[in-house]
Amino acid sequence: MRLRNVKGSREAIAENEYVIHDEESMKGKWHELFGNDNPIHIEVGMGKGRFIMDMARLNPDINYVGIEKFSSVLIRAIEKQEVEKLPNLRFIRMEAEYLENVFNNGEVSYIYLNFSDPWPKDRHAKRRLTSVQFLARYEKILSEGGGVTFKTDNRDLFDFSLEQADEAGWSKKTVTYDLHNSEYAEGNVMTEYEERFSSMGNPICRVEMSP
Ligand code: SAM
């Protein structure tokens, strides 16, 4: 993702009520924060937040937490949430490597990974959000019966992710190499990147998997 330095974004985020600032102190307290026992779903690397905002609007009985490491992108999601004020949506600016410091074992019911950065060099494979290292982190925070949905147009990254799921002993519930022309197309909520890449003619791959 090409990133511009958005002036003042750090300051705006620091003051925003929808951003959790001391995220590690929230570990084990997410249901308390939302004020209900509804399941908690997270999107890791949410970018400008279109997907998670659409999901939060469509599913008021699910709590959503969007995770993004860059202020310059997160600010765009915050601007939209400032207008909509969805009660079941919060954001964290953080590096996903530290998810286990922020969510208790079993605290998260579902994880979405959309168009994650490919990290094409072999030596960076463990930084990919679908590497066995990340799958182990997700496994800890996921509740019984929880899972991960991963979408991408990057076939190499997708094949790598399926292999990593096998290596981690995860099971795959559904796999498609062309989501928009598949039996799973109905009800699919598009992300910003998905819209961009599918309009260029790239097929979208998707896997639903669980530990
Ligand atoms: N999910 C969005 C979509 O589909 O439109 C954005 C996709 S963009 C290619 C990937 C996003 O993930 C970027 O905004 C990037 O900053 C964020 N990201 C990548 N690695 C991350 C990590 N380890 N922790 C938190 N955010 C991450």
Side-chain angles (χ1 to χ4, degrees):
M1 174 182 270
R2 197 166 58 83
L3 292 170
R4 275 184 313 120
N5 184 21
V6 179
K7 212 166 164 249
S9 56
R10 264 182 187 267
E11 294 74 9
I13 288 167
E15 288 163 14
N16 192 274
E17 63 182 304
Y18 296 104
V19 180
I20 303 306
H21 302 290
D22 188 7
E23 62 272 10
E24 295 197 2
S25 72
M26 291 308 301
K27 186 171 173 166
K29 296 188 186 142
W30 286 95
H31 285 109
E32 219 176 285
L33 173 97
F34 285 107
N36 58 48
D37 284 331
N38 294 342
I40 293 168
H41 292 194
I42 69 175
E43 183 187 7
V44 181
M46 62 155 196
K48 296 178 187 169
R50 168 176 163 180
F51 172 85
I52 201 164
M53 291 200 68
D54 286 350
M55 292 293 277
R57 201 179 306 111
L58 284 168
N59 304 294
D61 293 339
I62 297 176
N63 300 315
Y64 290 89
V65 181
I67 289 161
E68 170 54 52
K69 67 178 170 183
F70 286 126
S71 311
S72 53
V73 194
L74 174 57
I75 188 74
R76 299 305 175 211
I78 291 170
E79 285 164 357
K80 290 181 262 180
Q81 171 67 340
E82 278 293 321
V83 177
E84 283 215 41
K85 303 186 186 303
L86 295 164
N88 57 333
L89 176 63
R90 296 289 187 282
F91 305 113
I92 312 174
R93 185 179 65 77
M94 66 172 280
E95 164 54 56
E97 202 182 324
Y98 305 109
L99 279 175
E100 294 152 86
N101 299 345
V102 172
F103 297 99
N104 238 346
N105 291 0
E107 199 169 17
V108 172
S109 297
Y110 211 82
I111 300 175
Y112 293 95
L113 307 172
N114 293 316
F115 296 81
S116 308
D117 295 344
W119 291 104
K121 291 185 180 140
D122 283 348
R123 70 188 153 90
H124 291 148
K126 64 171 186 274
R127 297 187 193 176
R128 297 174 194 151
L129 292 182
T130 49
S131 65
V132 286
Q133 289 81 2
F134 271 98
L135 295 183
R137 295 179 182 118
Y138 305 149
E139 191 162 345
K140 280 198 184 153
I141 63 170
L142 278 172
S143 57
E144 194 67 39
V148 171
T149 292
F150 171 54
K151 290 197 277 190
T152 183
D153 68 322
N154 184 320
R155 185 59 193 266
D156 287 344
L157 178 63
F158 192 64
D159 290 342
F160 165 86
S161 306
L162 298 182
E163 284 164 21
Q164 296 287 286
D166 288 341
E167 197 177 319
W170 284 41
S171 54
K172 298 177 212 104
K173 194 169 133 209
T174 67
V175 178
T176 171
Y177 295 90
D178 190 359
L179 174 61
H180 296 178
N181 295 302
S182 75
E183 60 189 299
Y184 311 116
E186 202 184 315
N188 175 51
V189 173
M190 297 259 268
T191 82
E192 264 121 0
Y193 271 64
E194 184 171 358
E195 171 108 42
R196 189 189 303 172
F197 290 128
S198 60
S199 71
M200 288 160 60
N202 298 5
I204 306 303
C205 303
R206 191 192 76 176
V207 57
E208 294 177 299
M209 55 188 176
S210 52

